[in-house]
Amino acid sequence: MSQRCVVGRTTIRLKNRYIGAASPPPSEGTAQREMAGRTLRSLRKEAAGCRACGLWEHATQTVFGEGPETAEAMFVGEQPGDQEDLEGRPFVGPAGRLLDEALDLAGIDRDAIYLTNAVKHFKWVARGKRRLHAKPAWSEQMACRPWLEAELAVVQPRVLVLLGATAAQSLLGKQFRVTKERGRWLESELAEHVTATIHPSSILRQRDAESRERELRSLVDDLALVAAML
């Protein structure tokens, strides 16, 4: 049996990979037009009650995307972290502050882009009083994909930036490797220009200040490719 998630009156079958409430399923173009008629505000409200997978049970809230509906660029990360889960906004924790720095160095205005995550609920494991990030399972990524597809349909960005393996694989397939493909334009129908790079959280995990600085410069170089298109 296929797993389903309801976006307003729109049912999305994850196994069969089509969007639509009627049978037979509509074409991809029809689905995109149906989603494009919605707004980010309505999608955010609907996503607040999403129960497509079990992650909602241990999360504070759904963390939907944020930014202009007319943004030329959409940035997609993995999932909200501890601070994002508490505040209900994407990229406001340590990785988000590092992304802000990289965006600034690359000459990209955060307020002009749309920021979201492939997974909208925080998956975590307890370590004492701390809640530590846990990688979302493939089934959890696919359960959340309808919301990401809906965001893409509404915003229709010219430039799509995938931050980290989870974001990239959620949209480009499980075989995609960021380490091999980062920092260049990719062939994809998702947007006019699609690229992938590391997630800023990977910089935080580097063993020393020198390594972190080197990885930050590398991220800025990748984002400069994006800045040139905006």
Side-chain angles (χ1 to χ4, degrees), residues 4 22 56 72 74 83 115 143 153 159 167 226:
R4 301 185 182 189
W56 69 273
E72 286 195 90
M74 177 185 287
Q83 204 163 324
L115 283 165
V159 182
V226 175

Side-chain angles (χ1 to χ4, degrees), residues 32 42 55 77 105 112 162 170 207 212:
Q32 289 176 344
S42 65
L55 292 184
L105 290 170
L162 306 173
S170 290
R207 64 184 181 277
R212 288 191 291 273

Side-chain angles (χ1 to χ4, degrees), residues 95-197:
R97 291 190 289 274
L98 195 55
L99 178 61
D100 286 346
E101 181 180 355
L103 290 170
D104 185 60
L105 290 170
I108 299 173
D109 181 2
R110 172 170 171 147
D111 292 336
I113 65 177
Y114 187 81
L115 283 165
T116 192
N117 285 296
V119 174
K120 311 302 188 192
H121 285 114
F122 179 35
K123 182 175 183 179
W124 55 277
V125 293
R127 290 292 184 272
K129 295 182 178 180
R130 300 174 62 197
R131 299 190 303 171
L132 300 183
H133 160 277
K135 182 179 175 63
W138 181 252
S139 60
E140 293 160 346
Q141 295 174 41
M142 291 300 97
C144 226
R145 179 164 168 164
W147 299 113
L148 183 54
E149 290 179 340
E151 289 172 295
L152 280 165
V154 171
V155 178
Q156 297 185 31
R158 284 198 313 111
V159 182
L160 177 63
V161 184
L162 306 173
L163 301 170
T166 296
Q169 292 176 1
S170 290
L171 288 173
L172 300 177
K174 295 176 75 172
Q175 302 306 313
F176 186 85
R177 294 294 178 266
V178 172
T179 52
K180 292 182 178 181
E181 306 291 348
R182 65 176 292 186
R184 67 181 186 87
W185 297 118
L186 306 166
E187 290 187 12
S188 172
E189 296 181 356
L190 293 168
E192 183 179 349
H193 305 287
V194 178
T195 190
T197 186

